[in-house]
Amino acid sequence: MSDPYDRQRSSEGKGPARRFRPAPLLFEPRADATEVEHFFDLESIDDPRELLRRSTELALAFRAAAERATDFQAVAAAELADPRRFDALSCSEIAARADWTPDYAAKMVEYGRGLKKQQRAAD
C-alpha cells in the first residue's frame, strides 16, 4: 500500500527513500526571545559551511518529525473510522476535525489501516 503523500523515492527509483532520524537538538530557543527572526540561533552562525550543516540537520529533523506525526494521524483516523466502534466517524467527520478534504481523510484512513496491519504483523 502506498502512502498518500509524495515521498521522495530512493536514487534507484525502487521504494521510498530511507526515513531520516531526527537530529538531536543541541539547544532550545531562548524562552525570552521575543524577536521573530531568531530560529535556533541560525542567524548567529557566520560560517556558511556550519550554517548549511546545522540548518540541514534541523530541516531533516523537522521533516522526520512531520512524517512520524502524520503516521500517528493516519492511525488515529483509521481507529476513528473503524466500523466496530459504536462511535465510528465517517471520512467527512474526520476531515472536518483534522481540516482535511474528505478524499484525503479516506486516503489517511486507508493508510492508517495499512500501518496498523504492519504493526500487528510485527508483533
Side-chain angles (χ1 to χ4, degrees), residues 23-103:
L25 298 179
L26 303 177
F27 55 88
E28 293 291 326
R30 290 186 296 257
D32 62 340
T34 56
E35 297 180 35
V36 176
E37 65 270 18
H38 291 290
F39 185 74
F40 292 94
D41 283 334
L42 291 177
E43 69 283 341
S44 68
I45 299 174
D46 294 328
D47 179 14
R49 288 180 186 95
E50 177 61 18
L51 179 59
L52 179 62
R53 185 196 65 74
R54 183 66 182 139
S55 60
T56 300
E57 271 184 354
L58 286 169
L60 293 175
F62 288 126
R63 186 179 306 142
E67 286 181 8
R68 186 157 184 208
T70 301
D71 287 350
F72 279 103
Q73 283 182 311
V75 168
E79 289 176 2
L80 288 170
D82 189 339
R84 295 174 294 184
R85 291 177 59 109
F86 76 93
D87 60 346
L89 299 178
S90 69
C91 287
S92 295
E93 292 169 315
I94 293 170
R97 288 180 181 223
D99 197 27
W100 297 334
T101 64
D103 289 340

Side-chain angles (χ1 to χ4, degrees), residues 1 111-123:
M1 171 183 305
Y111 179 57
R113 287 176 179 156
L115 289 173
K116 289 181 67 163
K117 185 184 253 184
Q118 288 175 358
Q119 186 179 33
R120 284 191 302 268
D123 290 342

